Amino acid sequence: MISTSLTRIARATALAVALGSVGVAGGANAAGNSGNGDMKGQIDVLNWWTSGSESKAMGVLKQMLAQKGIKMNNDAVSGGGGGNARTVLKSRIQSHNMPGMAQIKGPKIQQWCKTGFIGSLDNVAKSDNWSKKLAPRINKNLKCNGKYVAVPFDIHRINWLWINRSLMKKANAPIPQSWDQLVNDLGKLKSAGITPIAGGGDTWQVGTEFDALVASVGDAQFYRKAFVDLDSSALSSKTMVKAFKRLRVIEKYTDSNGSGLSWNHDTGMVVNGKAAMQIMGDWAKGAITNDGATPGKKVACIALPGTQNAYIYNVDTFEAFKVNSKSKQKAQNIFAKTVMEPQFQRQFNKVKGSIPVNEKVSLKGFDQCAHKSSEAYHKAKKNDDLVPSMSQDMAEVGAVKGAIFDVVAKFYNSPNMTAQEAAKTLASRVKQADQMSKL
Ligand code: BGC
């Protein structure tokens, strides 16, 4: 008992010293943190991590920050993919209720920068040598006018297929190695009375499936031409027509009662033997673990057939907003520092389903799907096959992504719309959205 309290006192003292060294001025009241017990600073963190595994992953951060005297207010807004969270962010800004950090990804980091609402993480990023710990293309994305404004958490791969092994056995369907085998399996599953695919719950989920399907028909160069360069001929090409045709196949084999259901509900269906497969980024792996299954065992993880060499990446990043006190700025810096630390990177990414973004962190103790992801990532990096995810806002600005999603959703929900029509519409809608976003 006594030794425990002494340890606690020692810890509290160490904490006070540590915070003193980062210069938290004036104690809790000056920081405007009265009512937070012995917390020395606080930070509002806007995000869309509300599923079981996602909240647990945020819990890791909350706890680590608390140990450093920072109270993290987890302002999580539900909705996979973050559409709702982005709306809330804008309305908070309008009502002068800025968060300290907000989940913002890809080119949006630079777009936000232009608003003048963005703070800086430059000191902590430079003193902690982020540039030596991150892949160059990830590192570059975090900066605005040469200064760091955002901190990365993880690397997720999008082009995964999650498969319930025992349902496959029941239907006498092998784990598919090619698109044709996959289609064959889907037929077998259906004939055996098993729901082949869980999905189709909302536009974001269908957009995520389409993202992986595009990588299954074209190589990295094609993907970039279509979704990064927004090249009309790629968007309306035969290859894109093929991707839409594949989406039609997936739609036909998808749970017909799936509309309105969340991605993690669908992952639960695969874990619990209610559906055989799900096409989803590896946050699904976090949900599998959270549901008590071991990824790779009960539920197999394979690259969506046709995408073995592809790595569509998604890096969750949090951008700093301008804050109005020194203590809040310190809290921001401690937040950013903690996120890049090996201890956090390991614990968080295990729960989240992703791999550490800090390349110096070991994967020891991670599940076999994380190892697969890491191998695929390094291979793709070497061969220049890494592509930023269209569906997760890594490739283009919001208006363009919205136009792509509109066309994909329209096609998915209109059985009579042909793949040719869809690809043609895609090219013209993207062109329009791109022009509008430059006005
Ligand atoms: C985010 C993931 C998240 C997923 C579902 C993606 O856009 O990048 O971190 O788990 O949405 O909410």
Side-chain angles (χ1 to χ4, degrees), residues 203-408:
T203 302
W204 171 77
Q205 288 174 57
V206 177
T208 305
E209 293 177 340
F210 184 67
D211 200 352
L213 291 169
V214 170
S216 82
V217 292
D219 58 12
Q221 245 177 324
F222 173 78
Y223 187 100
R224 283 189 207 115
K225 227 172 149 192
F227 292 143
V228 180
D229 305 341
L230 310 178
D231 178 293
S232 290
S233 63
L235 289 163
S236 61
S237 65
K238 284 196 176 134
T239 311
M240 195 57 82
V241 171
K242 200 168 166 191
F244 277 107
K245 284 189 175 157
R246 289 191 171 184
L247 182 62
R248 181 64 80 220
V249 173
I250 295 301
E251 179 256 315
K252 287 223 166 87
Y253 285 105
T254 295
D255 175 20
S256 52
N257 301 317
S259 174
L261 299 177
S262 65
W263 66 269
N264 49 308
H265 174 278
D266 293 346
T267 311
M269 285 180 73
V270 176
V271 173
N272 298 320
K274 301 262 161 38
M277 301 182 190
Q278 182 184 24
I279 302 171
M280 191 43 67
D282 45 19
W283 42 90
K285 183 161 79 68
I288 292 168
T289 311
N290 195 44
D291 284 348
T294 307
K297 297 214 163 134
K298 183 176 183 182
V299 179
C301 50
I302 64 164
L304 178 73
T307 70
Q308 282 85 345
N309 294 330
Y311 198 106
I312 308 179
Y313 70 89
N314 171 49
V315 177
D316 285 305
T317 37
F318 281 65
E319 189 156 5
F321 278 76
K322 258 188 195 147
V323 283
N324 55 13
S325 73
K326 276 211 161 141
S327 81
K328 284 188 179 164
Q329 206 174 1
K330 296 298 170 203
Q332 254 177 355
N333 286 339
I334 293 173
F335 177 98
K337 193 177 173 59
T338 306
V339 165
M340 280 289 287
E341 276 167 1
Q343 198 198 357
F344 173 78
Q345 285 282 310
R346 287 175 53 76
Q347 281 191 35
F348 171 88
N349 282 295
K350 275 187 186 171
V351 179
K352 186 69 176 55
S354 34
I355 56 172
V357 67
N358 180 342
E359 295 193 343
K360 305 282 180 219
V361 174
S362 116
L363 276 186
K364 208 165 161 235
F366 277 67
D367 60 60
Q368 53 170 287
C369 303
H371 283 275
K372 264 194 181 178
S373 175
S374 170
E375 277 156 32
Y377 174 80
H378 288 290
K379 191 169 156 219
K381 191 174 160 196
K382 200 168 123 224
N383 298 335
D384 200 23
D385 280 337
L386 284 177
V387 293
S389 168
M390 171 278 287
S391 61
Q392 310 308 312
D393 305 287
M394 296 296 297
E396 61 319 87
V397 294
V400 173
K401 203 274 299 273
I404 300 173
F405 270 24
D406 280 354
V407 179
V408 169

Side-chain angles (χ1 to χ4, degrees), residues 169-188:
K169 272 207 187 116
K170 210 165 153 190
N172 201 16
I175 299 290
Q177 303 300 325
S178 66
W179 176 258
D180 290 346
Q181 264 183 28
L182 172 62
V183 177
N184 205 21
D185 285 350
L186 294 172
K188 282 186 174 179

